[in-house]
Amino acid sequence: MKRSVPLQPGSPAFYSAALVAAALLYFLILVIPAGLTVGRALASTIANIAPIVIGGLAVRASIRSWVARRRVAVQFGAHIAMAVLFTLFWFWLLMVLLGAINGDSAVLFSVEPFMGLAAAWQLMQGLTIYAVLALLFHYELLRETMTPREPATGETPPQFVRDGDELRPLDPERIVHIAAAGDYAEMHTPSGSHLLRTTLAELETSLGNGFLRIHRSRIVNTNRVARMEPAGGGRMTLHMDNGDSLTTSRAGAKAVRDRVL
């Protein structure tokens, strides 16, 4: 029996299907309402899709490596800037490719950008495409956080944490730090925070040596510490790679220093 391929964000099958669907939609619009020949419609379709692929790869890399690790306010500003850059890049490259298609040759052509309503429509398309891509890439990160990674041979299998009556997969590599919240525990990851119905003490017993109790209400992933500095009074401030800054207790600072080689 053949196994079906899941069409979920992050999987090659999903993005391949989305790309084919977008290309088909562009092609049909260019052939039927615009009345272009099949050959010209195919070339124009490629001109529309190519900037999306190139810009989309750059946006995905930026979100995964930098944007998702920052505070919400920083992410908001970054997305505004990236949306403008993506839209301008998409419009510019589209105009260049259309100029090449309509020119005398691939190296001898003139670029005549759309003006007025046509330009506004193209720019609106760019902003809309960016918004869809950004949502998909953030959802992809969120799904990775809540889905256990397949362990390689010899690796420890994924752990699970009790969340009320349910069991949820726990991927220690994605955890930046965990805070106590009464009878709950707030787990912070690069893509956001998640409230679990379990205590900090229960989580501490299931985490490995890479985690350290720096305060009675805080556990950190030492692999996620970007840098640390004295905070006065025998305490320390840990700067995490997602942008959060955490202050230890005196006992927590001593535990941190004990880890220093």
Side-chain angles (χ1 to χ4, degrees):
M1 182 176 177
K2 254 188 175 179
R3 189 177 174 183
S4 60
V5 178
L7 291 178
Q8 294 185 356
S11 67
F14 173 86
Y15 290 121
S16 297
L19 193 60
V20 170
L24 182 60
L25 182 61
Y26 271 115
F27 180 78
L28 292 176
I29 290 174
L30 291 169
V31 168
I32 300 174
L36 298 182
T37 63
V38 172
R40 185 59 62 87
L42 182 60
S44 297
T45 297
I46 295 173
N48 278 275
I49 293 297
I52 297 176
V53 174
I54 298 171
L57 290 173
V59 169
R60 183 174 183 268
S62 299
I63 290 176
R64 295 181 69 91
S65 64
W66 186 82
V67 176
R69 298 173 181 266
R70 307 299 162 184
R71 296 180 183 275
V72 174
V74 178
Q75 290 190 40
F76 182 76
H79 277 302
I80 291 177
M82 288 169 62
V84 173
L85 290 173
F86 175 88
T87 301
L88 293 177
F89 169 79
W90 181 71
F91 183 79
W92 169 80
L93 186 54
L94 174 60
M95 295 301 101
V96 171
L97 292 176
L98 289 178
I101 291 171
N102 297 317
D104 296 331
S105 69
V107 294
L108 185 62
F109 61 90
S110 61
V111 177
E112 298 180 5
F114 294 155
M115 304 297 290
L117 290 177
W121 172 248
Q122 292 298 136
L123 293 172
M124 181 60 68
Q125 279 191 66
L127 288 172
T128 303
I129 291 169
Y130 176 85
V132 172
L133 290 176
L135 286 172
L136 284 173
F137 297 148
H138 275 288
Y139 176 75
E140 177 185 331
L141 281 172
L142 179 62
R143 190 174 65 85
E144 288 178 5
T145 302
M146 303 308 295
T147 303
R149 180 175 55 89
E150 289 291 333
T153 304
E155 286 188 348
T156 303
Q159 298 171 309
F160 291 84
V161 60
R162 185 172 295 281
D163 186 3
D165 296 329
E166 299 179 355
L167 291 176
R168 292 184 180 273
L170 182 68
D171 185 358
E173 293 180 6
R174 297 284 299 165
I175 299 173
V176 178
H177 60 93
I178 308 172
D183 294 331
Y184 295 80
E186 188 175 23
M187 182 173 65
H188 294 258
T189 68
S191 59
S193 60
H194 311 279
L195 200 62
L196 301 175
R197 284 188 286 178
T198 186
T199 64
L200 203 65
E202 291 172 337
L203 276 176
E204 187 178 15
T205 59
S206 64
L207 296 172
N209 293 329
F211 290 83
L212 186 65
R213 189 79 169 254
I214 64 165
H215 192 277
R216 62 183 177 84
S217 61
R218 187 82 60 175
I219 296 175
V220 300
N221 185 347
T222 56
N223 294 320
R224 292 278 187 173
V225 177
R227 61 187 178 89
M228 60 184 76
E229 60 188 7
R235 298 177 174 85
M236 297 185 71
T237 297
L238 306 184
H239 299 280
M240 312 305 291
D241 63 4
N242 70 333
D244 291 345
S245 296
L246 310 173
T247 301
T248 71
S249 63
R250 291 186 180 88
K254 183 181 183 303
V256 171
R257 292 188 186 98
D258 289 342
R259 294 284 185 100
V260 177
L261 298 177

